[in-house]
Amino acid sequence: MSLLIKGGRVVTAADDYVADVYVDDERISLIGLDLEVNADRVIDATGKYVLPGCVDPHTHLDMPFGGTVTIDDVESGQISAAFGGTTCHVDFIIQPQGETFASALATWRAKANGKQVIDMGYHMAVTDLEHGGSLEELATLPDQGITSYKLFMAYKGALMVDDLTLFRTMQVASQTGALVMVHAENGDVIDQLVREALEAGNTEPLYHALTRPPEAEGEATNRAIQLARLASAPLYVVHVTCKQAVEPIALARDRGWDVWGETCTQYFFNSLDDIAKPNFEGAKYVYSPPVRDSSNWEVLWNAVRTDALSVISTDHCAFLWDGQKTLGKDDFSKIPNGGPGLEDRLKMVHEFGVRAGRLSLNRMVELLATNPAKLFGLYPRKGTVAVGSDADLVVFDPEKEVTISASAHHSKSDYSLYEGTKVTGAPEVVLLRGHVLVENDELIASPGIGQFVKRARFGEELRPAAETAHA
Ligand code: URP
Ligand code: ZN
Ligand code: ZN
């Protein structure tokens, strides 16, 4: 099947020009002006942007968490992603305590089997190196295309690891070419503050934010940076929310250290005003690290503009408000942490980043597609529009007006973090390896088309086909 996308404005992290893009056998095989080629299908992209499919390096689909399971499985989560212009994501396998990494990987692969709509890879979240998982087994994961290890410095009594586990994992990563990812919050301090709040009778969702102060994020971020430096491991700090965490990352990067940071769409838009909403509505905004004072919004925009932070992800970890968030009706510490957003990232960043004059189009592509692809061993197969790359493409209509709402999104979550927000600009056609996934707000492709991608080691490029295993 061949496809010609005619006359669109091709935007990559580096370029911006009008051209035709010819796709053959799942890849981009020619880019040029007024191409004279025969194609099975022609898409007229005049007046539209042709962007690389976005890459989301931070999602939680079908994941047991907080006494329940995230509401989006691989199928609903990936359909939602496709509608939002995301064609590849990297999801977290959580090692159940006492289990081997091989067993955890088998469980997560089974959850995806036959359901995939977009391409995907996995990070391995290390929870237990004493029983089940071992350092030796951890070292084998990059050979299987799992080239990032994740550690939680918070969620005491559940996913949190101690500094020794963190440091030992970093030492393995420095040998195996894996990237270490951290959820950086001081879990011990938070645990104590949560106890004190509950003892004082403070059970409302707002106390989720008040017991996880920005200093707890700043301290853990700095600790992880120093430990990674000591272990000579590359470090990626996920979901950075505030000045206290941006500053140590910016300093490390100024020094030329191998440190990168990510923030997520919601941290530019949600604030303490949201989590303080009455009648338990605030529970919709319970995620970790928590919403911050809105003074942090401009700090984050500035950080993504200056490359102190290099990626915007979604941390899509969706629950129902009615039925799952309500587990914490009388105790904020029992509200499952996480929110939806896989579908909204490109539209929101385009509206409030590009259209608002905070980011260039090139920088938006870099933050949503190119940098995540480069950092997580997917580039140049993913994350750019280039000859030889997978034909993962978004024909984006910059004039289309959309109102973001739970009634229109494809996640199973019963609420949106951006309910009622009006944006101009949305995907019109979304292609995965040349196959039309979504066109004019309709799902065209069937589940099963997505593949597991064996990612390259940190700092290495992913070259075509041979390294891809079919799910
Ligand atoms: O609240 C959140 N972010 N839930 C997902 C798990 C995590 O910490 O990323
Ligand atoms: Zn986290
Ligand atoms: Zn997360």
Side-chain angles (χ1 to χ4, degrees):
M1 159 93 184
S2 60
L3 185 80
L4 182 64
I5 303 171
K6 273 201 83 61
R9 184 171 156 194
V10 177
V11 184
T12 67
D15 298 308
D16 187 341
Y17 55 94
V18 172
D20 299 346
V21 179
Y22 180 66
V23 173
D24 191 21
D25 195 18
E26 302 204 330
R27 298 215 191 87
I28 298 169
S29 61
L30 218 50
I31 303 176
L33 213 49
D34 300 326
L35 292 179
E36 303 223 344
V37 284
N38 291 321
D40 298 323
R41 177 158 181 214
V42 178
I43 295 175
D44 180 6
T46 311
K48 313 281 160 64
Y49 303 154
V50 179
L51 311 175
C54 294
V55 176
D56 192 337
H58 190 155
T59 60
H60 304 275
L61 302 182
D62 205 348
M63 182 182 88
F65 194 47
T68 182
V69 179
T70 57
I71 192 71
D72 280 319
D73 67 358
V74 170
E75 187 170 324
S76 64
Q78 294 192 350
I79 288 174
S80 185
F83 275 94
T86 292
T87 51
C88 185
H89 72 125
V90 192
D91 203 63
F92 289 94
I93 298 175
I94 310 286
Q95 175 207 10
Q97 284 182 348
E99 275 191 34
T100 62
F101 299 120
S103 144
L105 172 58
T107 305
W108 254 260
R109 290 296 297 269
K111 291 179 203 233
N113 203 4
K115 292 185 172 183
Q116 283 182 237
V117 179
I118 63 172
D119 286 353
M120 74 184 300
Y122 294 109
H123 314 286
M124 180 61 74
V126 177
T127 64
D128 181 4
L129 288 174
E130 294 288 315
H131 319 94
S134 66
L135 293 168
E136 292 71 29
E137 197 199 357
L138 195 57
T140 67
L141 295 177
D143 287 339
Q144 299 166 67
I146 298 177
T147 53
S148 39
Y149 307 142
K150 163 81 177 284
L151 299 114
F152 291 91
M153 300 168 79
Y155 303 128
K156 190 170 179 174
L159 304 177
M160 179 172 148
V161 296
D162 59 16
D163 286 351
L164 183 60
T165 304
L166 175 58
F167 186 62
R168 298 288 278 141
T169 302
M170 288 171 166
Q171 288 180 316
V172 173
S174 78
Q175 298 304 308
T176 60
L179 177 60
V180 175
M181 309 168 77
V182 285
H183 171 134
E185 284 186 294
N186 186 317
D188 283 316
V189 167
I190 289 166
D191 191 57
Q192 177 58 25
L193 296 178
V194 168
R195 260 178 235 279
E196 289 172 12
L198 292 174
E199 273 165 26
N202 295 321
T203 60
E204 296 290 305
L206 173 64
Y207 286 89
H208 173 76
L210 300 184
T211 55
R212 306 181 85 100
E215 291 79 2
E217 187 181 335
E219 182 280 326
T221 302
N222 187 48
R223 183 165 23 118
I225 290 170
Q226 301 301 332
L227 293 179
R229 179 75 180 161
L230 207 55
S232 303
L235 180 73
Y236 179 92
V237 185
V238 301
H239 51 39
V240 172
T241 70
C242 56
K243 187 167 170 279
Q244 287 82 344
V246 168
E247 282 176 352
I249 294 169
L251 184 62
R253 291 178 60 68
D254 275 354
R255 289 177 175 160
W257 296 6
D258 280 345
V259 173
W260 288 266
E262 157 206 280
T263 189
C264 314
T265 325
Q266 55 273 28
Y267 294 113
F268 296 105
F269 302 106
N270 295 156
S271 76
L272 291 170
D273 292 344
D274 292 307
I275 202 167
K277 284 180 181 163
N279 304 321
F280 201 60
E281 212 189 325
K284 294 176 179 173
Y285 306 90
V286 168
Y287 41 75
S288 295
V291 288
R292 300 295 185 197
D293 182 294
S294 57
S295 66
N296 285 287
W297 295 348
E298 281 311 317
V299 173
L300 294 178
W301 283 118
N302 195 44
V304 294
R305 196 173 55 243
T306 57
D307 208 39
L309 299 179
S310 310
V311 172
I312 303 174
S313 75
T314 65
D315 192 7
H316 181 90
C317 184
F319 296 103
L320 294 172
W321 179 60
D322 186 4
Q324 290 187 297
K325 291 283 183 179
T326 39
L327 288 169
K329 197 108 189 64
D330 303 315
D331 174 350
F332 71 87
S333 71
K334 295 197 168 60
I335 300 170
N337 285 199
L342 199 35
E343 192 162 340
D344 307 319
R345 180 177 58 145
L346 172 58
K347 291 191 285 279
M348 290 294 283
V349 175
H350 176 258
E351 177 70 30
F352 297 98
V354 177
R355 277 174 47 87
R358 294 180 170 110
L359 300 176
S360 68
L361 262 179
N362 302 105
R363 182 61 182 164
M364 178 187 80
V365 168
E366 196 165 34
L367 289 162
L368 305 188
T370 316
N371 281 350
K374 283 184 175 169
L375 285 163
F376 292 99
L378 293 160
Y379 187 85
R381 266 192 59 190
K382 310 285 188 192
T384 193
V385 182
V387 170
S389 295
D390 283 358
D392 297 356
L393 297 166
V394 178
V395 179
F396 186 91
D397 180 354
E399 306 297 335
K400 185 171 173 179
E401 296 185 357
V402 173
T403 301
I404 294 179
S405 169
S407 63
H409 73 196
H410 299 81
S411 161
K412 288 188 197 156
S413 181
D414 57 356
Y415 71 95
S416 167
L417 294 174
Y418 318 110
E419 188 64 40
T421 304
K422 290 183 181 357
V423 298
T424 302
E428 184 173 273
V429 186
V430 180
L431 302 164
L432 176 74
R433 286 177 276 101
H435 306 280
V436 178
L437 294 181
V438 169
E439 187 161 13
N440 294 325
D441 298 324
E442 255 188 74
L443 182 68
I444 308 293
S446 306
I449 195 161
Q451 294 177 354
F452 168 69
V453 184
K454 227 178 135 190
R455 293 183 291 121
R457 285 178 160 74
F458 177 73
E460 291 179 9
E461 292 197 334
L462 184 62
R463 289 287 156 192
E467 287 164 291
T468 301
H470 289 251

